[in-house]
Amino acid sequence: MLPVALALWASSLASHIAFDRWSGQQRIDIPAGSFGMTILPITVFAIMTVLTLAVLCAAFHTKARWAGAIAVCLAMACIGGITAIAADTAEWRDPAAIWARNQGGLTQVHATVSAPVMTSDQSEYGCRIDVRLNDIAPAMQGADGGFRHSSADVRVYAAESYCSRFRRGATYRLSGTLQEAEYGRMPLWLLLQGGDSVVRMADGPPYRTAIEHMQQSFFLITEQLSDQGRVLVPGLTMGVLGQDYVSVSPSDHIGSPLDDTYAATLEERFRRSGIMHLMAVSGGHFIMLAEAVRRLCRRWLICRQLSAGAVAGAYLVLALLVYPSDSVTRALIMGLIGAGAYALGRRSQSLSALCWTVTGTLILEPKMSQSYGFALSSAAVLGMVLFAGPIGKALGRMLPEALAQMVAMTVAAQLFTLPIQILMEPELPLLSIPANILVSPVVGFSTITGLMALACAWCLPWLAGALAWVASAGTLVMERVAMWLGGSTWSVMPWPDGISGAVLVLLIEAACMVIVMAVSRFARHRTMQDIQPSGQRFGSSRRVRFAIWWQETRRMLHMTASDGST
């Protein structure tokens, strides 16, 4: 499945790039129903469908062993291109996208909040909220008859006075300025100034309200910690740094204001030292939670099927509690596949689960092929699955077992993530391996105690406070390591940016891998020559022949002496 997943990803990404270039060359005043708007998607659909059928027919009529595998890869590549073009076309033809592309300006929308309220990355706004549109009235008629259905994803930038009004899962009527995004993954922005209207139309589902209450209680608990704990404990536990969270009840603040300069410096030092991934929820959270649930189920002698159901339920609850991200999506789907295999009594296969996760996700959500978060998460898992074992086995001959495994996991994860990091920022983190080794002993218990604090913050605040303090003791070690290594002038090395820089990193990694394999093979060959089984030629190794002669001579003399004494 690995070639299939790679072919699907490459085709989907290439289709997105081609569509973006095509759409960028079109006039912005093309009517939504014009022939020129639909001729390219229809042509691509037809060509890819014919190609898929032709490849499958050729595979069925040939006897070559590799024909079937190539046919499947080409067929999945066609499916990836078709789904990507379909998703881009639907986004291009959305009424909100047409309005923002052609006219833009004041509009009124009905939108559902899809993510927690976060601090704004623009100084003139107090917060940002990701929403999914339900309806839009581009002409601002103000009557319900003027609304048209829309399903566009929009990032809302709101004034500070509006930040406390938004609740995740609730539906709002918003009046503001709709425009195309200047940067970021979200295609559209909705700007809300002080005089714009924000009206709540419907509350979110009850479970969303309960989750939001738990998150808010947890952040109130962390405000009692030191500045490093207020920043890092929420980041390690939920994937949201303390300075990025906006409380929905500002009057509940009990701590002093967070030092923004310190928070920005700490975040930069984490990035430079190569341990910024610790501030995002990843598969490690799900693995630790699943292991705890399985141990409890084994202790209580619960059957395998119920244990798998409990693990799957724990995965879903954790995914709802933490900040929604593409890495969480990847970890959740892989975890559910593993839980299903456990329920059936089958051995968990990480590589197969990863490939099926990538394949299904890119077909159902083609935009994921452009996500750096999804790519980094998948690449890290792929590197650890393929190379962590061999690297750890090789390092185990020179280092202690625990240290060898930590180094192997870090090196294996960076084998495939480093080119993607170069695409994001042209710098090589030179100290990421020692930084990860230094913080790895405290990551596990800090994560577990942070999750426990999140789980009981709403009902046992005193216990949550104690657990959060224990978690902050672990994050203090991370803070010291990041400040020490990230503050060095040689912690990062400038690197060529873009595709050329990523390809250069891949070539260097491939060259290093070839050299290591050649040296290992040469050493193994010399060892096999030096130590030959009895009855075969020793070759030209005089040292080995002399050693064997000396051993035989000593044994003969010892036997002669023993016979003489008797």
Side-chain angles (χ1 to χ4, degrees):
M1 284 299 297
L2 182 58
V4 174
L6 293 177
L8 176 65
W9 199 321
S11 174
S12 178
L13 184 58
S15 299
H16 285 305
I17 295 175
F19 189 91
D20 290 342
R21 292 185 177 181
W22 172 84
S23 62
Q25 296 174 357
Q26 304 304 307
R27 294 174 56 196
I28 62 174
D29 57 349
I30 294 178
S34 65
F35 179 73
M37 187 64 204
T38 57
I39 184 62
L40 177 63
I42 293 176
T43 303
V44 172
F45 269 85
I47 293 176
M48 289 190 170
T49 303
V50 172
L51 180 60
T52 302
L53 294 177
V55 170
L56 291 177
C57 291
F60 285 132
H61 288 83
T62 184
K63 296 182 179 180
R65 295 182 178 180
W66 44 264
I70 294 179
V72 173
C73 291
L74 290 178
M76 292 304 297
C78 294
I79 293 175
I82 290 173
T83 54
I85 292 295
D88 288 341
T89 304
E91 183 179 307
W92 178 272
R93 297 286 302 274
D94 190 275
I98 294 174
W99 170 257
R101 186 170 58 248
N102 293 349
Q103 288 90 17
L106 293 177
T107 186
Q108 191 174 92
V109 300
H110 295 163
T112 301
V113 178
S114 57
V117 182
M118 304 291 291
T119 304
S120 175
D121 49 9
Q122 299 189 44
S123 58
E124 58 268 28
Y125 297 97
C127 59
R128 56 183 171 90
I129 311 101
D130 293 341
V131 301
R132 172 66 64 89
L133 297 188
N134 302 323
D135 302 288
I136 179 174
M140 290 295 295
Q141 292 94 337
D144 292 340
F147 282 92
R148 299 178 58 187
H149 176 71
S150 174
S151 58
D153 292 321
V154 177
R155 173 156 292 176
V156 177
Y157 286 95
E160 188 174 358
S161 58
Y162 291 143
C163 295
S164 59
R165 301 188 186 182
F166 290 96
R167 300 291 187 277
R168 188 178 176 186
T171 302
Y172 296 85
R173 174 178 291 183
L174 307 175
S175 300
T177 303
L178 185 67
Q179 66 178 43
E180 291 186 294
E182 299 177 3
Y183 56 84
R185 186 181 175 187
M186 285 291 181
L188 302 174
W189 286 354
L190 182 64
L191 309 179
L192 302 182
Q193 302 293 342
D196 296 327
S197 174
V198 176
V199 179
R200 184 187 301 183
M201 300 177 60
D203 294 329
Y207 74 92
R208 287 292 185 191
T209 304
I211 290 173
E212 190 174 42
H213 176 64
M214 294 177 63
Q215 293 173 342
Q216 182 182 357
S217 301
F218 175 71
F219 275 97
L220 290 177
I221 293 295
T222 58
E223 286 190 355
Q224 305 175 31
L225 304 174
S226 61
D227 281 354
Q228 67 84 16
R230 294 172 64 181
V231 174
L232 299 180
V233 171
L236 185 65
T237 305
M238 293 180 52
V240 181
L241 296 176
Q243 70 269 23
D244 294 334
Y245 178 77
V246 176
S247 176
V248 295
S249 299
S251 59
D252 293 338
H253 283 290
I254 58 178
S256 59
L258 185 63
D259 188 349
D260 294 335
T261 303
Y262 168 78
T265 302
L266 183 59
E267 184 176 359
E268 176 66 14
R269 295 292 176 85
F270 263 75
R271 184 192 62 80
R272 289 174 58 88
S273 58
I275 55 176
M276 193 63 196
H277 62 276
L278 298 177
M279 297 300 104
V281 177
S282 60
H285 293 67
F286 290 83
I287 291 174
M288 287 186 288
L289 181 62
E291 184 64 22
V293 173
R294 288 196 185 100
R295 289 189 178 186
L296 288 176
C297 292
R298 292 194 192 104
R299 185 176 183 85
W300 295 339
L301 302 180
I302 298 177
C303 66
R304 187 179 65 249
Q305 290 76 12
L306 292 180
S307 299
V311 171
Y315 282 153
L316 294 173
V317 172
L318 178 60
L320 291 173
L321 284 175
V322 300
Y323 183 79
S325 63
D326 297 336
S327 61
V328 171
T329 301
R330 194 276 313 160
L332 173 62
I333 298 175
M334 276 194 66
L336 293 178
I337 293 176
Y342 180 66
L344 297 175
R346 299 192 59 180
R347 180 173 59 89
S348 177
Q349 300 179 10
S350 301
L351 183 57
S352 178
L354 174 64
C355 295
W356 281 106
T357 298
V358 170
T359 302
T361 302
L362 295 185
I363 291 176
L364 298 178
E365 191 66 30
K367 282 292 184 182
M368 283 290 192
S369 62
Q370 296 178 299
S371 170
Y372 280 116
F374 189 75
L376 286 172
S377 180
S378 302
V381 174
L382 179 62
M384 288 186 289
V385 170
L386 293 180
F387 298 107
I391 295 176
K393 184 178 180 180
L395 294 177
R397 303 171 183 173
M398 302 175 290
L399 301 174
E401 183 66 21
L403 184 60
Q405 291 300 323
M406 288 189 291
V407 175
M409 294 291 285
T410 303
V411 174
Q414 289 197 353
L415 283 177
F416 294 109
T417 58
L418 198 56
I420 303 174
Q421 295 177 23
I422 294 298
L423 293 176
M424 299 172 62
E425 192 163 3
E427 290 180 346
L428 285 180
L430 301 179
L431 302 179
S432 60
I433 293 178
N436 280 275
I437 293 174
L438 291 174
V439 302
S440 57
V442 300
V443 171
F445 85 87
S446 294
T447 303
I448 293 174
T449 52
L451 291 175
M452 294 173 63
L454 174 61
C456 62
W458 64 279
C459 58
L460 297 172
W462 61 271
L463 179 58
L467 293 171
W469 183 86
V470 174
S472 68
T475 57
L476 178 61
V477 177
M478 303 180 196
E479 188 252 5
R480 292 289 186 263
V481 171
M483 287 294 188
W484 173 41
L485 298 180
S488 175
T489 56
W490 43 276
S491 60
V492 295
M493 181 177 68
W495 197 260
D497 60 349
I499 300 297
S500 60
V503 173
L504 181 59
V505 169
L506 286 175
L507 292 178
I508 294 176
E509 290 180 347
C512 293
M513 189 176 300
V514 170
I515 293 174
V516 170
M517 292 176 63
V519 172
S520 176
R521 183 173 298 179
F522 177 76
R524 190 183 305 113
H525 181 69
R526 289 294 301 271
T527 303
M528 294 300 295
Q529 281 187 342
D530 292 345
I531 304 176
Q532 292 285 354
S534 177
Q536 296 186 10
R537 295 183 59 185
F538 293 99
S540 59
S541 178
R542 298 180 180 179
R543 180 179 58 84
V544 175
R545 288 183 295 179
F546 180 80
I548 295 177
W549 173 83
W550 177 247
Q551 291 175 2
E552 293 293 334
T553 302
R554 290 184 60 186
R555 187 176 63 175
M556 181 184 66
L557 294 176
H558 179 71
M559 292 176 62
T560 303
S562 299
D563 293 340
S565 62
T566 56

